[in-house]
Structures are given as C-alpha cells and as structure tokens.
Amino acid sequence: MPKAMKWAIVFVLTFTLVVNTQVHKAAAETAIVGVDSLNIRSGPGLTYDVIGTSKRGESLTILATSDEWIQIKHGNGTGWIASWLVTMNTTASKKSSLVVSRVDRLNIRSGPSVGSSILGRMNAGDEAKMIDQNGSWTQIIINNTTGWIHSEYITEIAEQVEHVSTEQKQDTFTIAVDALNVRKNADLSSKRVGIIYKNESYEIKEINGNWVRIVFDTDKSKEGWVYSFHGSISSSATVANNKQVATNNTVTILSNGTNIRESATTSSPVATRADAGERFTIKSQAGDWFEVALPNGKSAFVAKWVVSTSEDIHTEQQTKKENSARVPGTLKGLTIVVDPGHGGNDRGSTGARGTDEKDITLLTSERLASKLKAAGANVILTRESDAYVSLRKRVAVSHQVEADAFISVHYDATTTPSVGGFTTYYMHERQKSLAMYVNDGLASSVALRNRGAQPGDFLVLRENRQNAVLIELGFISNPGEELSVTTDSFREQASLGIYNGLLNYFNSN
C-alpha cells in the first residue's frame, strides 16, 4: 500500500522495530508545515503510530534527520515528520562563506542525499554561498536556488564582501518532456497560459519549491510557471558549453546493499554487495553496465543506474534511447521499471494474519520481471532484496533509464476487513491509458473484485516524467483475501495479467 494511504491502517501489529537508518544532526532549525494536516509519528516511517498532528504554516523545531524523515520537538518529547511535506527554514546566523565547485555538472539536490531530486547543476569554477552543512553535504544558495551539494566536490573560500560581480549568469530551464503546460500560478490546478516543447530552453525569473517561473516568448511579455521535474535548470555557461567530457575512471555506489554481479545482467549471480559511498575502478562499459575491479583483483559488473561517476556526467547523447522497431507480441526494445513497494525498515501494511506487504510485493515483482524479460524487455527492479529505497530514488531510476513504463506493485489495506479487490492508479492524464490496459489485463486473469483504474496522488506517479501506474493487488486487511493473494498461484496469475495488459498497451500504441 502506498505511503500516502498508510495513515488509515490501525490494525498494524505494534512490534518494536529496530531501524538501522543513520540519524544525522539537524541541518536546519525549523521546518514549516506545507499541508493542511501533518501527521507526527513515533518513529521515522509510515508504519509508526501517529502521536499528533500539525497544521499548515506551523513552525516545528528540528532535532535530527533520518533518510526522508525529520525528528522534531513535540510537546515534552519528540516525534517524526515526513520531509517531503515541509520546507526547511535555516537561520542567517551561520558563518558567511563561499564554496567553489571543482567539477562540472555537480548536482544541486533538494535534500542532503543522493536520492533527493535534482534542482540544477554547478560547473567547475561556479561559486555559491554556503548556508549550512549536514554530514558530507553542504547547503547552498546559487542564482536564487537553495539546495544541497556533496562536500567532496567543492572548496570553501572566504567571502569577499567588497567584490561584486557585474556580470550575471542567466539561469535557463530546458524541457525534458514532449510537451509541458505553462500555468498562471505555481499550482497544477491553475489556468494554462501556454505550452512549450522538448529541448526548448527559457529564461528563469523565479524558483518556488518544485515550480519555476519562466519567460516563454521572444519579446519577454509572457511569463508563467512550470513543474521543475519535467526539465533541468542550468546556467547560460552550461548551455553554451556543449563539449563532450571523457568518461570517469571510477564509480561511487549510491545505496547500501547494492548488487555487483558476475555478468552484465540482473539475472546474473551476485559476486558481492557494496554500500553507499564505496568506489570501484571502471575497466570497461557494456551497455547499461560498468565492468569494475573488485578488491580481490577479480572483475564484476554494476548497473549504471545504481552508481554515479565522480562528476555525475550524463549528457543527452549518453542517456538518449534509440527508437527501434518492436515486433508485435513482444516487448523487445522497451525498458520497463518494476517497483516492488516498501522494503527494509518500511514494512508497508501488515495483514490480518501477519503478512508484511514488503515481502509479497518483491515476490510478485520478481515473477513479473521474469515474464517481461522473456518477452524481450529490458527490465530494472528498483530493489532486489529487503532493502529500503526512498520514493524519490525510485522515481530517479525511472528518469535515468527513460522507462517506457514504470509499474509500482503494492497490496492494499483498510480498517474495514470486509473490503477487497484490486485497483490500478494513475496520477496524470497521460498515464490513464496505461492504467486502463493494465487493469483490464488483471481483470481477465485474477478472481478478485475489479475496483477499476482510478486517479491516485502518489509521489511515484506525481513526480514521474515517465508513463507510470501503481497497482494494489488485493486487500491483505481482509483475512480471506490475504490467504488468496499470498499464494504462489495468485502471484502467477497477477503477474500474467499485468504482463498481458502491458503487451496489449504497447501493441495498441
């Protein structure tokens, strides 16, 4: 069940959960609530009990951070809130200094982790004002954008107050999707005032959270807002410099427990596992894989989408997929991301008979991935073991491989044990057709009640530039349905239904 719906589950077993997530000292003093009602929980995850609420606009004192969760003062104790529902408010009392990027295309991220969304990039020599630090991350302000960069790739210098540059670097926003609506205000429900197209670049006037205000005609008389996840922000110097950069000779692992395999395929045996921050020397490249040297002298392969090079260079020519003809009845030439919901310290829902959602989503996803690969698809699983993967990291994988379809697999739950059935969710209108085909495929394959294809406001759909759906394969809060959906025969039929839905969708398109 997706994170946005977990508040409704009151039957979750209240076992003590030992979380191995690293907790960092707070990087900001306060967080401002950005939703009408924000749940405050007893621990850093949606499976923890709600111990209070906070209203929009309230300022909460930050004590620490853990992945995408923030520990705050709550009454006479503490509580945890979701970082994606608040905005950070740093103080101005920090020491004033500047940082200079030592590399090109250094990612500026929305939070202090590699799983946070990219707001823009710095090139070698670009300066930014440092306002805070959190472990190996530095918070900066550059061109009216506040974000985080990795401290390893910058040099701190004293700020020269008396020096003011008269040459202003103009930021631009480059469109990454086929067509993008320009809106009057920074809101998806706001009136559309124009439309812009892929690879076009526009002058940025203002950045407000996930929204960018641009000038979008030649005489600079029209302005509007666009959603930043559908493009990239760069300075004029970056746009003008289109030189090819040599491939780096090392890769850095992005997540704990990353599989390094014996050959360049996700079905190959695991040679070893590596944790975030570990580095390996690149020996060669094989499609979407790096051949790397292990400490024992042997070679193995790691997927490009789970690592970064030291300068995180991804030019358009490097990431652009080739459009190849597809034989009807196959999925050859298509890239499909299968996303097993939850994992690690995020159990998801717990069934009436004790089933953890995170376990059966992985089993079902593995069965689905096998069918898709047999049909010729290039399949990427967002997790292959019981590991925590942030929602934004899952979306980042979808963007990085330019997925033709992103399928998030979940099992549902509610407080009413008699409720049952499967549902296929979409967020954007462009995702509706895929959702309907997948839902029809399931309806012809499984014997559960068909709850239909419905709109659903989930992060992996909302912020996904690719075609994406989220499937709830039955209610494990229903004791009878839990018995059914946890069987191997159900997983076979459900994965077959999703496979047929995808096949029919791509055949019709």
Side-chain angles (χ1 to χ4, degrees):
M1 183 178 181
K3 291 189 173 183
M5 299 176 68
K6 292 300 183 294
W7 60 269
I9 307 171
V10 297
F11 61 87
V12 176
L13 298 178
T14 55
F15 293 125
T16 301
L17 180 64
V18 179
V19 181
N20 58 7
T21 307
Q22 187 175 4
V23 176
H24 301 282
K25 187 179 178 181
E29 285 195 351
T30 58
I32 308 300
V33 179
V35 292
D36 292 336
S37 180
L38 175 67
N39 286 334
I40 302 172
R41 298 182 179 272
S42 60
L46 287 160
T47 55
Y48 286 91
D49 293 336
V50 175
I51 58 175
T53 59
S54 185
K55 296 181 180 179
R56 183 185 294 274
E58 288 188 20
S59 179
L60 306 174
T61 301
I62 298 175
L63 302 175
T65 62
S66 174
D67 290 323
E68 294 185 317
W69 291 83
I70 300 170
Q71 187 182 37
I72 60 163
K73 289 184 179 178
H74 177 60
N76 295 325
T78 64
W80 292 84
I81 57 174
S83 64
W84 60 90
L85 300 177
V86 298
T87 56
M88 302 296 190
N89 185 24
T90 58
T91 65
S93 61
K94 299 289 181 181
K95 183 180 72 173
S96 179
S97 61
L98 295 175
V99 294
V100 177
S101 175
R102 301 201 305 266
V103 299
D104 284 330
R105 297 180 65 80
L106 174 62
N107 287 332
I108 305 170
R109 297 186 180 271
S110 60
S113 75
V114 292
S116 299
S117 56
I118 296 174
L119 303 177
R121 290 186 174 92
M122 295 175 66
N123 280 334
D126 285 352
E127 293 183 0
K129 187 170 184 178
M130 180 178 74
I131 58 175
D132 215 331
Q133 290 182 309
N134 181 358
S136 59
W137 293 82
T138 298
Q139 190 178 34
I140 60 164
I141 295 178
I142 181 171
N143 299 323
N144 297 319
T145 299
T146 300
W148 294 85
I149 55 178
H150 202 283
S151 306
E152 181 179 352
Y153 306 122
I154 58 175
T155 300
E156 183 178 346
I157 61 174
E159 183 173 6
Q160 301 296 321
V161 178
E162 67 275 10
H163 172 70
V164 178
S165 174
T166 57
E167 180 181 355
Q168 297 293 321
K169 287 184 178 179
Q170 182 58 60
D171 276 3
T172 58
F173 183 78
T174 302
I175 314 308
V177 293
D178 291 336
L180 179 61
N181 289 328
V182 183
R183 299 190 180 274
K184 184 177 180 179
N185 299 308
D187 191 298
L188 285 171
S189 62
S190 179
K191 178 183 177 182
R192 188 178 73 179
V193 294
I195 187 167
I196 51 183
Y197 299 95
K198 191 170 186 177
N199 296 327
E200 295 177 351
S201 296
Y202 297 92
E203 175 187 340
I204 293 176
K205 303 296 290 184
E206 181 184 354
I207 297 175
N208 182 5
N210 293 330
W211 290 84
V212 178
R213 183 163 63 92
I214 61 169
V215 176
F216 65 101
D217 70 350
T218 53
D219 61 4
K220 298 187 177 181
S221 62
K222 290 185 178 180
E223 295 184 356
W225 292 87
V226 293
Y227 203 46
S228 65
F229 290 101
H230 299 314
S232 60
I233 299 171
S234 59
S235 69
S236 56
T238 303
V239 173
N241 183 9
N242 194 29
K243 295 180 180 178
Q244 185 74 23
V245 183
T247 302
N248 298 290
N249 61 358
T250 62
V251 293
T252 302
I253 304 298
L254 299 180
S255 304
N256 290 340
T258 294
N259 291 328
I260 300 179
R261 299 185 178 274
E262 294 179 2
S263 59
T265 172
T266 55
S267 60
S268 172
V270 176
T272 186
R273 288 186 171 87
D275 288 336
E278 291 188 45
R279 292 184 177 182
F280 298 88
T281 300
I282 299 173
K283 300 182 69 175
S284 67
Q285 296 188 46
D288 290 330
W289 296 77
F290 287 119
E291 182 185 10
V292 297
L294 300 180
N296 60 9
K298 295 182 179 181
S299 295
F301 292 83
V302 62
K304 289 182 179 178
W305 60 85
V306 296
V307 300
S308 67
T309 59
S310 60
E311 295 179 13
D312 198 16
I313 298 170
H314 300 288
T315 64
E316 186 176 342
Q317 285 113 336
Q318 287 171 320
T319 58
K320 190 88 172 172
K321 293 192 302 182
E322 294 183 2
N323 292 322
S324 56
R326 185 178 65 86
V327 178
T330 75
L331 298 175
K332 187 176 181 181
L334 299 174
T335 297
I336 299 175
V337 174
V338 179
D339 175 42
H342 311 284
N345 62 293
D346 177 11
R347 299 193 306 268
S349 300
T350 299
R353 300 174 182 271
T355 303
D356 278 345
E357 183 186 0
K358 68 174 183 176
D359 296 330
I360 55 176
T361 59
L362 182 58
L363 291 172
T364 307
S365 297
E366 290 172 340
R367 186 69 63 94
L368 173 61
S370 176
K371 288 180 171 58
L372 298 176
K373 289 175 185 176
N378 174 33
V379 181
I380 293 105
L381 285 160
T382 58
R383 67 179 179 96
E384 298 179 351
S385 62
D386 184 18
Y388 173 79
V389 181
S390 71
L391 296 178
R392 295 187 186 278
K393 175 61 180 175
R394 296 169 194 254
V395 174
V397 170
S398 178
H399 292 171
Q400 190 168 2
V401 301
E402 294 184 336
D404 295 288
F406 176 96
I407 311 296
S408 192
V409 178
H410 291 260
Y411 286 82
D412 219 332
T414 184
T415 55
T416 306
S418 60
V419 174
F422 67 90
T423 316
T424 308
Y425 288 101
Y426 63 93
M427 172 66 184
H428 304 290
E429 190 65 25
R430 56 183 166 80
Q431 300 166 343
K432 183 176 181 179
S433 178
L434 176 61
M436 293 179 69
Y437 271 97
V438 170
N439 197 79
D440 287 346
L442 280 167
S444 65
S445 186
V446 300
L448 301 182
R449 175 193 172 194
N450 181 3
R451 300 170 65 89
Q454 303 180 22
D457 187 4
F458 305 120
L459 188 145
V460 294
L461 303 181
R462 182 177 66 248
E463 299 186 4
N464 207 321
R465 296 197 299 260
Q466 310 307 122
N467 207 355
V469 298
L470 186 148
I471 308 165
E472 296 280 10
L473 290 169
F475 282 76
I476 58 175
S477 52
N478 180 321
E481 199 153 283
E482 181 184 11
L483 278 176
S484 173
V485 302
T486 52
T487 63
D488 190 64
S489 61
F490 177 84
R491 287 190 286 271
E492 174 63 25
Q493 291 304 115
S495 60
L496 179 63
I498 298 169
Y499 162 78
N500 284 330
L502 285 167
L503 198 61
N504 292 335
Y505 171 78
F506 286 112
N507 281 342
S508 68
N509 289 273

